[in-house]
Amino acid sequence: MQTDQHIWQVWARTLQRWGVNDWMASFLEAVGPLLVLGANMIYLGQPLLHNIFPDDHLVALAQLLEDPVQTEAFANILREEPSA
């Protein structure tokens, strides 16, 4: 989980840099139960996606999407003000 927190911070900084962090947080909260389908799609697509994304990031994303508590925690991170 500690490693996942580090990965979440990397994602949050990237989404903040792109200016879509608030939108992504709202999206994660809005789709709720459908996130489990997204997690399964990541697991199924992992053999293809591992050339684009690190395997630990794919696993962390799938686990985040499967667990509503983790999803809410990540949405809260996205809504935090970026540190300077």
Side-chain angles (χ1 to χ4, degrees):
M1 181 70 161
Q2 193 69 305
T3 302
D4 291 354
Q5 288 285 334
H6 172 71
I7 293 170
W8 293 1
Q9 292 297 330
V10 171
W11 297 341
R13 283 193 302 271
T14 301
L15 294 171
Q16 288 166 347
R17 195 172 34 245
W18 293 345
V20 296
N21 53 310
D22 286 329
W23 180 86
M24 184 58 73
S26 296
F27 175 79
L28 289 172
E29 293 169 346
V31 298
L34 294 176
L35 293 175
V36 174
L37 293 174
N40 285 314
M41 290 176 64
I42 291 169
Y43 286 131
L44 289 172
Q46 196 168 2
L48 299 172
L49 296 172
H50 80 95
N51 291 324
I52 302 168
F53 303 103
D55 284 335
D56 59 337
H57 283 239
L58 291 172
V59 171
L61 180 58
Q63 290 173 347
L64 180 141
L65 296 176
E66 287 178 325
D67 184 355
V69 173
Q70 287 189 32
T71 303
E72 181 65 29
F74 183 62
N76 290 335
I77 290 171
L78 290 175
R79 287 205 166 94
E80 291 175 0
E81 289 296 318
S83 55

